[in-house]
Amino acid sequence: IGRISSKPARQYRNLDKLNRAMVDAMSDFGIGNTQVRIARNAEHMRQLLEAELVDYLSETVFTAVALEKQGVADIVLREWKGGVPTFYSLILVRKSSDLQTVADLAGRSIVFEDSGSTSGFYLPYLFLRNQGLDLHAATSGDSAPSDSLQYSFGGDETTVLARVIRGKADAGAISNLEWLNDKKVPAVFRENLRILARTEPITRSVVLVRRTLPAELKKRIVQTLLALGHTESGRAVLQEYFGVTRFDTIDDSVRTQLARVGRAHSKYFQSPTD
């Protein structure tokens, strides 16, 4: 099993527990041991998949689509977390701000979470571009037009919102699920912020399998993951696996959405971002 994370120590146990359950359920394939491989970023994960050191992983859709386009993995399942299959991004500003519409962000600044986040960067970035705004990285060193929207990264949702509240940025972007999570966003933050805009919902997370895996093994991985959501012991394992409640297959509507993501990725992002 693989994972992209900058905090591997926190995630190893949850990954290992799921992988052990998978190995137990697939013992007839001659699989007798488990390994957890955590990549630093999407490019590192591509290398691990290419070297056949990772067999399956879950990821948010922009990184997943990029890995699929690079020919190293295939998207096979949709992942439900906390009982929901989708999320969307919120553009937040101070309650006292004079910003009333997305167009008002021209010439201002926004802080995203990190450059690999679907809800904290890719989705709001594309939403703002589609609204006609010209976005420029604040640290790019290029001379940006005065009416462009300058963006930077905060690293996590708490920092993003703190910068907005303190006036270090005019707006910030996080997911709707983080916004409602008291452990990530203190109530006092919500009291000082308001929602300027929200994006369309998007599939929250998907499962990928390595493209070079034998077809029968790919099929069995998919079947085993689907089955975990239908037993008490399987649901307990999934709950520890980052709050996943179940998996389901990729239907036509999700595949159409992923195709749109792929086109957007090709237009604006040449490769997975570190």
Side-chain angles (χ1 to χ4, degrees):
I1 191 169
R3 187 80 173 182
I4 300 173
S5 176
S6 60
K7 301 173 182 176
R10 295 184 184 181
Q11 302 191 353
Y12 180 89
R13 178 181 175 275
N14 296 340
L15 292 160
D16 186 58
K17 190 164 185 177
L18 173 62
N19 207 37
R20 287 181 183 278
M22 292 289 287
V23 168
D24 289 345
M26 298 167 61
S27 58
D28 55 314
F29 268 79
I31 301 169
N33 59 69
T34 71
Q35 289 188 347
V36 175
R37 304 260 185 196
I38 298 183
R40 297 181 301 275
N41 50 47
E43 173 57 21
H44 186 203
M45 179 55 71
R46 182 195 66 78
Q47 294 169 4
L48 293 176
L49 287 161
E50 197 168 57
E52 300 189 345
L53 295 174
V54 166
D55 299 313
Y56 70 106
L57 71 150
S58 59
E59 251 305 324
T60 53
V61 294
F62 276 87
T63 299
V65 165
L67 291 169
E68 190 172 62
K69 286 169 58 182
Q70 290 171 336
V72 293
D74 295 305
I75 297 170
V76 293
L77 293 172
R78 181 172 62 170
E79 187 174 82
W80 291 56
K81 287 186 177 181
V84 296
T86 63
F87 62 0
Y88 53 88
S89 299
L90 300 173
I91 309 296
L92 299 152
V93 298
R94 292 182 299 282
K95 277 192 175 177
S96 60
S97 172
D98 62 342
L99 297 166
Q100 297 300 320
T101 69
V102 170
D104 294 336
L105 287 169
R108 303 296 187 97
S109 62
I110 188 169
V111 57
F112 296 120
E113 283 190 53
D114 68 73
S115 59
S117 171
T118 288
S119 61
F121 175 55
Y122 288 117
L123 194 55
Y125 177 92
L126 290 172
F127 170 78
L128 294 167
R129 289 291 299 258
N130 289 336
Q131 293 291 314
L133 289 166
D134 183 20
L135 281 82
H136 283 264
T139 58
S140 67
D142 298 330
S143 178
S146 60
D147 63 349
S148 67
L149 177 59
Q150 300 282 304
Y151 69 87
S152 59
F153 296 100
D156 59 65
E157 60 281 340
T158 304
T159 304
V160 167
L161 300 185
R163 286 192 186 179
V164 177
I165 290 171
R166 293 169 183 164
K168 302 296 184 182
D170 295 301
I174 66 171
S175 83
N176 65 302
L177 301 175
E178 292 168 337
W179 174 245
L180 297 174
N181 187 334
D182 289 334
K183 292 181 179 179
K184 294 187 175 184
V185 178
V188 66
F189 277 30
R190 289 193 289 270
E191 292 170 4
N192 286 280
L193 296 165
R194 59 181 168 85
I195 299 170
L196 181 70
R198 64 191 72 203
T199 70
E200 290 294 319
I202 194 170
T203 295
R204 189 176 180 185
S205 185
V206 294
V207 174
L208 303 98
V209 296
R210 174 163 52 86
R211 185 162 294 180
T212 54
L213 277 176
E216 284 303 308
L217 184 52
K218 287 183 184 179
K219 182 178 178 181
R220 184 59 178 275
I221 288 173
V222 169
Q223 291 173 338
T224 304
L225 287 170
L226 286 170
L228 286 174
H230 296 283
T231 66
E232 186 175 344
S233 60
R235 286 192 292 270
V237 170
L238 291 180
Q239 182 59 38
E240 291 195 47
Y241 183 65
F242 311 106
V244 172
T245 49
R246 67 184 178 95
F247 302 97
D248 61 10
T249 54
I250 305 292
D251 62 19
D252 289 343
S253 64
V254 174
R255 184 56 68 181
T256 298
Q257 183 185 82
L258 294 174
R260 290 201 301 269
V261 169
R263 290 191 293 271
H265 193 281
S266 297
K267 185 174 182 178
Y268 297 111
F269 312 105
Q270 293 303 308
S271 63
T273 309
D274 290 358

